[in-house]
Amino acid sequence: MAGFSREVAKRVFAEELKSSNYSFRDGEDQHQYAPQYLLTPTGAKCNRVFVVGTLTEKDDIGGDTEYWRGRVVDPTGSILIYAGQYQPEAAQILASMEAPSYVAVVGKPNLYQTDDGNIIISLRAESIQQVDENTRNQWIMDAARRTQERLEILKNARPAPVSSDFTTADNVPASSPTQDADRALQHYQTDIEHFRQMVLRALSSLKAELARSNMPQELKIAKSAIAGGESETATIAAPPEEMPVSRKSKPKKSESLNAWPEEENDDEVETINFSKKS
């Protein structure tokens, strides 16, 4: 049986992640090891997610073995991350970190539906690293740009009847960004203006923080493309197009969509280089 290559980690704000409730497996081969995805309201098709924010709290919630839970906050909200014995490097780093501190996380989204129908989104951390403020600021800029790109595609997506239920799909074909946007609009009836305002709030928060810290003038906030031509422009250097990851083909156990986040017996390790470019 052929293995599946590791997926690129998508940059998505916490508010959008927590608004997501549509999970599916891709392609015609619906094997239990086929990649599983979370589709967000703006059309981000996520097998892995890359987030950077402030680790505000952490707890060891395990019993006989350590199982760490942390809360990572970005300008739009917070997301819970988990790491245990099957993510030993991530768990060790999380255990050794002090809160608050800036942290970069690559993880797989996990969906849990409570008895009363609420959806809880968390990330099973595969890689965690403490980073500096500039890295956090760069991520906000890039996540804003990626979200705006998806919103532009979404403007031309085909509308469809409203659907707000927690959903999984068993036979979803491989797709393009345009098809992902169509599917997102069909499921979420996405309010484009709501997520545009989310991006503006994130950038405004960063702008205010930079102003308070008296950072160099060359670090400015990019709002013109999002706010429709405002005078502020970006001079931040663009980061790599995607996070560099090690690739290893190995069948993986399917994610549980109906249970609280559980540890998974998976010895794959995501390798990420957070060092600055020269």
Side-chain angles (χ1 to χ4, degrees):
M1 178 179 61
F4 296 93
S5 62
R6 295 171 71 82
E7 298 280 342
V8 170
K10 302 293 184 66
R11 296 162 173 83
V12 183
F13 285 117
E15 180 179 334
E16 183 175 354
L17 279 175
K18 293 170 73 172
S19 300
S20 306
N21 60 14
Y22 181 37
S23 178
F24 61 93
R25 295 192 184 279
D26 205 357
E28 297 179 359
D29 180 11
Q30 299 304 311
H31 194 276
Q32 63 173 330
Y33 297 124
Q36 183 163 294
Y37 297 89
L38 174 72
L39 185 68
T40 73
T42 67
K45 179 183 172 184
C46 306
N47 177 259
R48 284 175 171 78
V49 177
F50 171 44
V51 299
V52 181
T54 304
L55 178 70
T56 59
E57 59 183 279
K58 65 172 188 177
D59 300 284
D60 180 4
I61 61 173
D64 297 334
T65 60
E66 290 187 349
Y67 189 36
W68 286 91
R69 176 180 64 191
R71 184 179 299 275
V72 177
V73 178
D74 71 20
T76 71
S78 65
I79 191 77
L80 294 175
I81 63 172
Y82 293 84
Q85 62 178 328
Y86 300 121
Q87 305 85 39
E89 293 184 14
Q92 182 179 7
I93 292 172
L94 183 57
S96 65
M97 292 184 67
E98 296 293 334
S101 58
Y102 294 122
V103 61
V105 180
V106 169
K108 295 180 75 67
N110 189 92
L111 290 80
Y112 170 68
Q113 185 173 26
T114 63
D115 293 337
D116 58 3
N118 292 326
I119 303 299
I120 298 175
I121 303 288
S122 63
L123 297 180
R124 179 172 59 84
E126 296 181 336
S127 296
I128 302 176
Q129 185 162 336
Q130 187 166 348
V131 297
D132 59 18
E133 184 177 7
N134 288 338
T135 301
R136 190 283 309 264
N137 295 344
Q138 183 71 62
W139 179 87
I140 294 174
M141 294 290 296
D142 196 48
R145 182 166 57 249
R146 295 281 192 255
T147 305
Q148 176 61 14
E149 289 171 355
R150 295 195 298 270
L151 290 175
E152 288 298 319
I153 297 174
L154 201 60
K155 288 179 181 179
N156 297 318
R158 300 186 299 272
V162 175
S163 174
S164 59
D165 295 334
F166 173 64
T167 303
T168 60
D170 294 329
N171 189 23
V172 177
S175 58
S176 67
T178 299
Q179 291 169 320
D180 293 335
D182 291 344
R183 191 182 304 162
L185 190 61
Q186 176 180 353
H187 179 74
Y188 295 104
Q189 290 292 293
T190 306
D191 183 344
I192 295 176
E193 180 61 19
H194 170 83
F195 288 101
R196 192 182 76 90
Q197 290 298 324
M198 176 195 73
V199 173
L200 287 175
R201 290 196 307 273
L203 293 175
S204 295
S205 174
L206 177 57
K207 178 183 179 182
E209 188 171 330
L210 294 179
R212 287 193 301 270
S213 62
N214 296 316
M215 293 189 72
Q217 286 297 313
E218 61 267 18
L219 193 62
K220 300 177 182 178
I221 304 303
K223 293 176 69 177
S224 58
I226 300 169
E230 294 185 10
S231 59
E232 294 160 298
T233 57
T235 56
I236 288 182
E241 192 62 21
E242 303 294 352
M243 291 299 296
V245 300
S246 64
R247 297 189 176 272
K248 180 179 180 182
S249 295
K250 176 184 176 180
K252 301 187 65 179
K253 187 171 70 176
S254 60
E255 299 264 4
S256 169
L257 296 179
N258 296 300
W260 187 253
E262 298 178 350
E263 298 183 63
E264 184 173 336
N265 189 0
D266 178 3
D267 60 2
E268 289 182 337
V269 177
E270 187 109 29
T271 303
I272 304 175
N273 180 10
F274 291 97
S275 61
K276 293 183 179 179
K277 287 188 171 182
S278 58

